[in-house]
Amino acid sequence: MSYSSASLLVEQAQGVLTLTLNRPDVLNSFTRDMALALQSALADAAADDQVRAVVLTGAGRGFCAGQDLAEALPQDGGPIPDIGEIVKASYNPIIRAIRTLEKPVLCAVNGIAAGAGANLAFACDLTIAAEEASFVESFAKLGLIPDTSGTFFVLRLVGMQRATGMFFLAEKMPAAKAKEWGLIWDVVPRESLMPTVTQLATQLASQATRGFGLTKRALNASFANSLDAQLDVEAQAMHEAGRTADYEEGVRAFLEKRAPVYQGK
């Protein structure tokens, strides 16, 4: 990593890069240091051909409690820090990195995901939560607005009424309800969480990951496109997919009646 920190644990195996938020004593709340470390790790993942899927999780009993408010309070009688600047420096680059990373990004939510922590989970490609996990859009309790792409993804995942209720009421949402509303992919017993997510990430990492990346690019484009524009995006992405080594391998494996061996190229 070009920027390393004890607040982020990094492990790589079988094409999967696992990133663990590591401030368990404060439910992995974000500091600038941890945000920079995560930004750096995601940039490294994008540049490393050996990384073909990413898993994001938290250490201890929580996933992420959002911003560490100690960094957002006045220091020694000084002015109140600009929360907007914290958002621009810490969270926006993380969301942009996750959405532009043309590799699967899975999130394993092991406990409470609050504020920026909840929206970080909702922005990942596939999010799986432990049965005991919960999500809360806690911003209203501080007179703030949802950040970390919350007003973008939550609205699109659940619709206007439900998104507004989540943001205004700031009620804790159990993992099962988050799955029911389409905010996350699945819910599993806590003891099965990391084995389940690791197995899924390893499975995805062994597949045609260039196709996954192009699919993700097309999904991102659809947020702003008309139907006609999106059809053009699909055609261009298909053009690129049809020129990959993975596509050639998939066709050869089909014709030869064998399992394909993809390289992510």
Side-chain angles (χ1 to χ4, degrees):
M1 287 173 59
S2 52
Y3 184 96
S4 61
S5 168
S7 62
L8 183 73
L9 304 180
V10 179
E11 181 181 0
Q12 187 170 335
Q14 295 182 281
V16 177
L17 182 69
T18 301
L19 306 175
T20 304
L21 306 178
N22 188 41
R23 302 185 70 226
D25 54 324
V26 288
L27 297 174
N28 303 312
S29 57
F30 266 96
T31 59
R32 176 68 172 140
D33 177 67
M34 190 165 79
L36 286 174
L38 183 53
Q39 291 171 25
S40 178
L42 290 168
D44 290 347
D48 188 349
D49 290 341
Q50 299 305 307
V51 174
R52 297 178 62 194
V54 174
V55 171
L56 178 62
T57 192
R61 61 189 179 89
F63 171 64
C64 177
Q67 172 65 33
D68 188 328
L69 293 179
E71 284 195 349
L73 296 174
Q75 302 296 316
D76 299 323
I80 297 176
D82 186 334
I83 305 298
E85 291 302 317
I86 293 175
V87 168
K88 287 195 289 186
S90 292
Y91 302 114
N92 289 358
I94 291 171
I95 298 301
R96 289 187 174 111
I98 288 172
R99 295 313 312 164
T100 58
L101 179 59
E102 294 196 343
K103 303 172 184 183
V105 179
L106 288 75
C107 186
V109 180
N110 51 306
I112 184 69
N119 292 331
L120 176 61
F122 298 149
C124 292
D125 297 317
L126 290 172
T127 297
I128 299 176
E131 291 173 338
E132 300 85 351
S134 58
F135 302 85
V136 57
E137 296 286 349
S138 51
F139 303 93
K141 295 179 179 179
L142 296 173
L144 298 175
I145 74 118
D147 58 27
T148 317
S149 75
T151 60
F152 188 87
F153 285 110
V154 173
L155 173 63
R156 286 162 173 79
L157 290 168
V158 304
M160 182 66 78
Q161 287 280 321
R162 284 177 168 178
T164 302
M166 289 174 65
F167 296 149
F168 282 12
L169 302 178
E171 295 175 344
K172 187 179 291 187
M173 177 181 289
K177 186 173 182 179
K179 179 184 177 182
E180 177 189 344
W181 281 18
L183 285 158
I184 63 175
W185 175 248
D186 205 359
V187 178
V188 298
R190 185 180 182 88
E191 62 272 15
S192 302
L193 178 63
M194 287 312 297
T196 297
V197 174
T198 300
Q199 188 279 329
L200 179 57
T202 303
Q203 173 189 334
L204 292 173
S206 70
Q207 295 182 15
T209 47
R210 283 299 302 124
F212 292 152
L214 292 167
T215 300
K216 187 170 176 178
R217 187 192 303 176
L219 290 172
N220 287 337
S222 73
F223 288 126
N225 275 345
S226 65
L227 172 60
D228 283 345
Q230 191 63 18
L231 290 172
D232 290 339
V233 168
E234 290 178 353
Q236 177 59 34
M238 188 64 83
H239 169 76
E240 293 185 43
R243 292 174 174 266
T244 63
D246 281 349
Y247 171 68
E248 182 178 349
E249 168 62 10
V251 172
R252 289 186 182 278
F254 176 79
L255 295 174
E256 296 168 7
K257 296 181 171 57
R258 61 173 175 81
V261 180
Y262 294 116
Q263 302 297 321
K265 298 179 181 177

